[in-house]
Amino acid sequence: MAARGFPVRLGGTEVELRPERALHWPGGGVLAVADLHWGKPESFHQHGIPLPPEVLEDDLARLSASLRATGARRLLLVGDLVHSRRGLTPEVVERVAAWRAGHDVEMVLVRGNHDRHLELPPAWRMELLEPHLDEGPFRFAHHPEPSEGHYVWAGHLHPTVRLTTGADRLRLPCFHLGPGVGVLPAFSAFTGGRDIRPRSGERLFAIAGDSVVEVPPPRSSRGARSR
């Protein structure tokens, strides 16, 4: 079954929430992702903590799949592309460079807190911007701070949602959409998360396998909206 996105309209502009943990803005030809934390396993390896080496391969495969599915012309990396300079081993730099050579798209990194000392390898062919990028009705920034006149797409918080049905419990990455700020899930599956309980006017969209599904608001929130 092909991966299915979830269309959402914000201020008259339609975007698609993708199960690859990405945002697709068809009108701008843009695919946006946040919090990849490349080099994290390598950073831990240097402290003697073994972590699965295939994390980067999974990230690159999902990026490729999302670019193919959407036909996006630009890839926006909304902060924390890397975990630390120490984790950018020659092997990581070379593997990303090889992947980059196979994708004829513009790539822009909006610097995040983990990227503050980053010097992008030339072979990655990425433009570096800070503190944000304004495109049409949207602002892309790492930190989720409101901006008058723009709907802000951000990262940093790694939002997750807990779902409970009877004895079954799941914790899933999610998109957290508020009235003026939308927070993207951490793109890397190898990250921690922050459980979100939505307030009135906010929506959560969980990533469940190859689908994105909207999470019904808690009963108290539904009651508050109906008053």
Side-chain angles (χ1 to χ4, degrees), residues 7 21 25 27 34 54-55 82 94 97 115 122 126 143 157 166 184-185 197 207 218 221:
R21 307 188 182 205
W25 173 23
E54 63 272 11
V55 173
V82 303
E94 291 171 9
D115 309 312
M126 296 179 186
H143 293 276
L157 298 181
L184 305 179
R197 185 174 178 85
I207 298 170
S221 297

Side-chain angles (χ1 to χ4, degrees), residues 6-10 13-17 153 177 203 205:
F6 196 111
V8 176
R9 184 168 290 275
L10 295 166
T13 301
E14 186 167 293
V15 297
E16 182 187 26
L17 311 179
W153 291 105
L177 273 57
R203 303 168 72 186
F205 298 84

Side-chain angles (χ1 to χ4, degrees), residues 11 23 27 37 39-40 116 156 160 168 171 185-186 194:
L23 169 77
H37 289 270
K40 187 173 182 177
R116 58 183 175 270
H156 188 59
T160 57
D168 296 326
R171 189 181 192 221
R194 173 179 173 179

Side-chain angles (χ1 to χ4, degrees), residues 37 80-85 112-118 142:
H37 289 270
D80 286 2
L81 174 66
V82 303
H83 188 68
S84 69
R85 287 184 298 174
N113 52 291
H114 278 262
D115 309 312
R116 58 183 175 270
H117 301 303
L118 174 65
H142 184 60

